Amino acid sequence: MAKERRRAVLELLQRPGNARCADCGAPDADWASYTLGVFICLSCSGIHRNIPQVSKVKSVRLDAWDEAQVEFMASHGNDAARARFESKVPSFYYRPTPSDCQLLREQWIRAKYERQEFIYPEKQEPYSAGYREGFLWKRGRDNGQFLSRKFVLTEREGALKYFNRNDAKEPKAVMKIEHLNATFQPAKIGHPHGLQVTYLKDNSTRNIFIYHEDGKQTEGFRKRWFTMDDRRLMYFKDPLDAFARGEVFIGSKESGYTVLHGFPPSTQGHHWPHGITIVTPDRKFLFACETESDQREWVAAFQKAVDRPMLPQEYAVEAHFKHKP
């Protein structure tokens, strides 16, 4: 009976769509996730083993199969899994190939099965929001030492920027996306999540080398003091600072502004239970309060501004915010 069940699984492997890995397309899909119903290659099977709460793996040719597992594989398969787990993949999202590094495969597999980002588009935040800010380790040009640097990726400006100091107003470098190329270089950088970014600076090609500890950049929350003046939300590093470190314009709901309790589902790296999300036409802003009462008060203040129709002169203020460098 055991041989017959293994033979049945081998026959399923020969079905159209099953012969190649469901995740990277490699030709030798000799492994299977019997909880997801997909056939995968050896390299991808190792990543599946790291998410046992979602995927449990067996060898098609070597392991024993019970009847229920064979029936589950027969009723699913790679094509059915793609129809479900890849139904809403963003057009810009990179799909790994057999020659790609482990990190690219891992992020695809975790996004696809663990986080189910391509079933529920709302889980694709923050990379679909058009703005990304966080800290990466960057190699120094002269001494080769890696130091933590703030990076900002902004779709509106079409640029990747980094800052030498966390509180710096001006970026050390501005890299236009149209002139930028990024490749994973774990061996060259000496870190499994190493990235080489190549860009043009003064008509010359420049390289920077960066990495993030866990392969998935996390959201960095820093303590700031806030004050709200009509529709202008300003934040300060110190409550006695003469100038705000940043400002957010809060328009009306008719103009596409919304305030939400909590954070988007995929927000990583935060440990604050009292979150607030302000949705603007351009991006989302995430804030965390220390107490539930603070959260209620701020949400009420934001909601009051959102519910109030904008005056003609406020549209000019909004336009000024949108075109700030």
Side-chain angles (χ1 to χ4, degrees):
M1 289 292 292
K3 289 184 178 180
E4 291 178 5
R5 289 194 291 268
R6 189 178 297 123
R7 189 181 306 116
V9 177
L10 284 168
E11 290 175 358
L12 294 174
L13 183 60
Q14 305 309 314
R15 286 184 180 178
N18 288 344
R20 288 185 172 273
C21 176
D23 297 321
C24 74
D28 301 318
D30 289 340
W31 295 77
S33 168
Y34 61 88
T35 53
L36 294 170
V38 294
F39 292 90
I40 52 181
C41 68
L42 176 62
S43 294
C44 289
S45 73
I47 300 170
H48 277 255
R49 289 184 188 278
N50 289 331
I51 48 172
Q53 71 278 16
V54 175
S55 182
K56 297 188 184 298
V57 176
K58 281 190 174 186
S59 168
V60 171
R61 303 179 186 278
L62 302 176
D63 288 329
W65 290 77
D66 63 39
E67 194 66 35
Q69 292 166 351
V70 175
E71 291 177 0
F72 185 82
M73 296 300 299
S75 63
H76 290 76
N78 291 4
D79 288 341
R82 287 190 194 96
R84 180 190 177 197
F85 291 104
E86 300 181 23
S87 61
K88 294 180 174 64
V89 180
S91 59
F92 58 79
Y93 203 102
Y94 184 79
R95 297 169 182 259
T97 67
S99 60
D100 280 323
C101 67
Q102 186 84 349
L103 179 60
L104 277 176
R105 295 172 188 242
E106 180 177 357
Q107 289 309 312
W108 168 256
I109 290 169
R110 287 186 178 274
K112 181 177 172 181
Y113 302 114
E114 185 180 38
R115 300 191 293 271
Q116 297 189 353
E117 293 179 10
F118 312 134
I119 298 177
Y120 308 105
E122 65 272 15
K123 293 187 176 183
Q124 293 169 14
E125 182 67 26
Y127 58 76
S128 292
Y131 185 92
R132 182 74 169 170
E133 176 180 326
F135 290 87
L136 300 171
W137 292 92
K138 176 187 172 293
R139 185 179 186 273
R141 182 174 61 180
D142 299 323
N143 59 14
Q145 182 181 1
F146 280 89
L147 298 171
S148 179
R149 294 290 182 257
K150 184 175 82 170
F151 280 77
V152 174
L153 179 64
T154 164
E155 181 183 19
R156 182 168 64 86
E157 298 177 34
L160 173 67
K161 302 182 286 188
Y162 80 86
F163 300 77
N164 265 358
R165 300 192 317 276
N166 296 350
D167 59 353
K169 282 285 189 180
E170 298 298 325
K172 175 67 175 177
V174 178
M175 298 159 268
K176 288 295 183 181
I177 300 300
E178 60 183 331
H179 300 140
L180 180 151
N181 185 53
T183 56
F184 285 101
Q185 296 286 355
K188 180 185 289 188
I189 295 173
H191 193 280
H193 307 140
L195 191 70
Q196 176 178 333
V197 178
T198 304
Y199 66 101
L200 287 177
K201 180 180 181 181
D202 301 328
N203 295 319
S204 298
T205 301
R206 169 84 194 278
N207 295 314
I208 64 171
F209 303 95
I210 55 180
Y211 70 86
H212 193 272
E213 287 289 357
D214 63 3
K216 181 173 175 61
Q217 185 190 5
T218 57
E219 306 292 327
F221 284 88
R222 293 175 297 281
K223 191 169 185 176
R224 295 292 183 262
W225 277 260
F226 284 79
T227 181
M228 191 167 176
D229 181 8
D230 197 32
R231 292 190 182 274
R232 300 173 71 153
L233 176 67
M234 295 167 281
Y235 55 92
F236 303 80
K237 185 176 182 181
D238 186 277
L240 299 180
D241 283 348
F243 300 99
R245 291 301 175 99
E247 297 182 58
V248 179
F249 180 83
I250 302 177
S252 67
K253 57 187 176 185
E254 290 82 6
S255 297
Y257 292 81
T258 310
V259 57
L260 305 171
H261 281 83
F263 298 119
S266 65
T267 304
Q268 301 289 322
H270 69 83
H271 305 283
W272 300 88
H274 312 302
I276 302 173
T277 300
I278 296 178
V279 182
T280 77
D282 294 323
R283 57 168 288 199
K284 296 178 181 179
F285 294 90
L286 310 184
F287 306 98
C289 301
E290 292 184 330
T291 67
E292 186 178 355
S293 62
D294 286 344
Q295 180 193 39
R296 284 197 304 267
E297 291 177 10
W298 278 108
V299 168
F302 296 149
Q303 193 65 55
K304 185 177 179 180
V306 168
D307 290 341
R308 189 175 76 246
M310 287 171 58
L311 300 173
Q313 60 267 32
E314 291 176 330
Y315 286 99
V317 177
E318 179 189 39
H320 169 74
F321 272 79
K322 287 186 175 181
H323 293 92
K324 286 178 72 174

